[in-house]
Amino acid sequence: MTVLAHRTDTLTRDALAVLQPGFEGTTAPAWLLRQVGEGLTAVGLFGRNIASPEQLAALTAQLRREREDVLVAIDEEGGDVTRLEVQGGSSFPGNLALGAVDDTALTRDVARELGRRLAECGVNLNWAPSADVNSNPDNPVIGVRSFGADTGLAARHTAAWVEGLQAAGVAACTKHFPGHGDTNVDSHHALPRIDVDLDTLQARELVPFRAAIEAGTKAVMSAHILVPALDPTRPATLSPQILTGLLRKDLGYEGLIVTDGMEMNAIAGTYGIERGSVLAIAAGADAICVGGGLADEATVLRLRDALVAAVREGALSEERLADAAARVRALAEWTRRARPDALPEGSGASGIGLTAARRALVVSGEPTPVLAPYVATLAPVANIAVGDETPWGVAAELAALVPDTEAGTYPEGATAEQILAAAGERTVVAVVRDAHRHPWMTEALDALVAARPQTVVVEMGVPRAEPRGALYVATHGASRVCGRAAAEVVAGVRVP
């Protein structure tokens, strides 16, 4: 092999190594297996790839027949954001519920049990937890994915979650650096901007990331946000000042830096995914997450070729690309060698998700069994990170406890009059998600409670409004177990 051919082969393999693409289907397509064999070191899984734990285990085994140490990544936060249980809802409460309980031992145990389930299915890199401090209550994309608005609370639970997950042999990827909590724009749609000074960033946004680094997080995910106090021109994912200067040098982080999804409009709509990927690696990122929306071989080849061309043209140094690829391979090797910690004898992890969801409930009013409920779910448009394919609410869980349950779902613009007409004489159980962010929802709730004082209100998002109704239940999340915990209170099965 000539020197030029060897260099080309090395560049190509390094370019493939830094990509984390997705694909369609519940088995690995031939093109993906071929690329894994040629140097692709990581694959990203989404809800479309998962039908059951058994199927997922077979899929990851199929990938490992091509490459023993392949990184199989997933966005499994628990709570509202689940891929492992996309069809029925998560068996675990999310971050806000864990923050509401504020028991770091519980958070660690929940994350470890979630990690154990991932590891059993062959998943070894989790794009979680969210370390964002939800300082802006109107944040459309973080919300219940955050442990809360208190910096210290977010920091200690981020560290506990990282420790728990990695004790199961699954690498944590703490996100969204340098902090996505103070935004009012979803980066899936546009480029958010955080206009706070450096002192505020140091005292608020960066504190949970420092805690995650001290806890040994194996990866950190960058945010597609503009933070002028750190870099006035480029979003964090593309900023050398933020990724290399702040994260690497100032915070001393040595692990893998992963980008958020490059097809998100904050990057794709401004820089394009090819140029954005080159700029991200040049800025200090080590791995390019792509595949939530773009999931084919053509995308992988486009990005591979863009990185190779950038090296040849001098826009990206060969050393930087090689360093990024080496970090990916180092993490892959860690996951191959990782040995999960043994669970303490009698730890009883099997029901920990429901236990945590029950502890997270905040209930106002007098719990009285509702014998003939009408569950009215006021459903906002789901944010893209959560997705609209995962069921949520209390209707199914309440029906399992109270067979004489009827239900209806009401989209934006629905009124109290419509709900009351459908409910008839039944007791209305109004289920909402972030009611404070949706005026139509607040208006409908106020009218329902005024017309029917016995109305029960279940808030499954961030609870901001004053409790209302004869019974008010805040779950701090909309996972299946949060719905179950709330249904138990409404049905009178469990009194908190």
Side-chain angles (χ1 to χ4, degrees), residues 131-133 175-183 194 201 205-206 209 223 225 227:
D132 308 294
V133 179
K175 61 188 181 185
H176 306 80
F177 188 82
H180 210 312
D182 194 18
T183 60
I194 295 183
L201 290 168
E205 272 74 17
L206 297 181
F209 290 98
I225 57 174
V227 188

Side-chain angles (χ1 to χ4, degrees), residues 397-420:
E397 299 294 338
L398 188 56
L401 300 173
V402 184
D404 188 22
T405 296
E406 294 185 2
T409 300
Y410 296 85
E412 182 171 356
T415 65
E417 289 76 13
Q418 292 172 308
I419 295 169
L420 292 171

Side-chain angles (χ1 to χ4, degrees), residues 362-365 456-459 463-474:
V362 173
V363 179
S364 300
V456 174
V457 177
V458 180
E459 169 61 82
R464 292 283 298 173
E466 290 296 319
R468 66 190 82 189
L471 178 66
Y472 177 89
V473 182

Side-chain angles (χ1 to χ4, degrees), residues 362-496:
V362 173
V363 179
S364 300
E366 290 298 325
T368 303
V370 178
L371 303 179
Y374 179 80
V375 181
T377 303
L378 281 64
V381 175
N383 79 56
I384 293 177
V386 173
D388 58 8
E389 67 268 40
T390 302
W392 68 279
V394 304
E397 299 294 338
L398 188 56
L401 300 173
V402 184
D404 188 22
T405 296
E406 294 185 2
T409 300
Y410 296 85
E412 182 171 356
T415 65
E417 289 76 13
Q418 292 172 308
I419 295 169
L420 292 171
E425 298 302 314
R426 291 173 172 272
T427 299
V428 175
V429 179
V431 183
V432 297
R433 203 172 187 176
D434 290 344
H436 69 280
R437 293 201 302 110
H438 305 284
W440 70 273
M441 202 179 287
T442 300
E443 183 178 343
L445 277 183
D446 288 343
L448 280 171
V449 173
R452 298 270 184 93
Q454 71 271 31
T455 295
V456 174
V457 177
V458 180
E459 169 61 82
M460 303 195 78
V462 178
R464 292 283 298 173
E466 290 296 319
R468 66 190 82 189
L471 178 66
Y472 177 89
V473 182
T475 62
H476 301 92
S479 70
R480 177 175 54 80
V481 288
C482 290
R484 171 70 186 195
E488 291 173 345
V489 173
V490 175
V493 173
R494 180 179 295 271
V495 178

Side-chain angles (χ1 to χ4, degrees), residues 39-102:
L40 188 68
T41 311
V43 174
L45 300 181
F46 298 86
R48 63 179 179 242
N49 304 122
I50 300 169
S52 68
E54 295 76 19
Q55 167 270 325
L56 179 55
L59 169 58
T60 58
Q62 183 186 16
L63 290 166
R64 291 204 167 87
R65 285 194 289 271
E66 292 295 327
R67 184 186 181 107
E68 181 185 8
D69 65 346
V70 66
L71 288 168
V72 181
I74 198 170
D75 192 3
E76 182 60 47
E77 299 176 12
D80 291 28
V81 179
T82 179
R83 312 302 179 219
L84 193 62
E85 299 181 274
V86 67
Q87 297 176 1
S90 180
S91 300
F92 302 92
N95 285 3
L96 190 66
L98 295 172
V101 178
D102 196 12

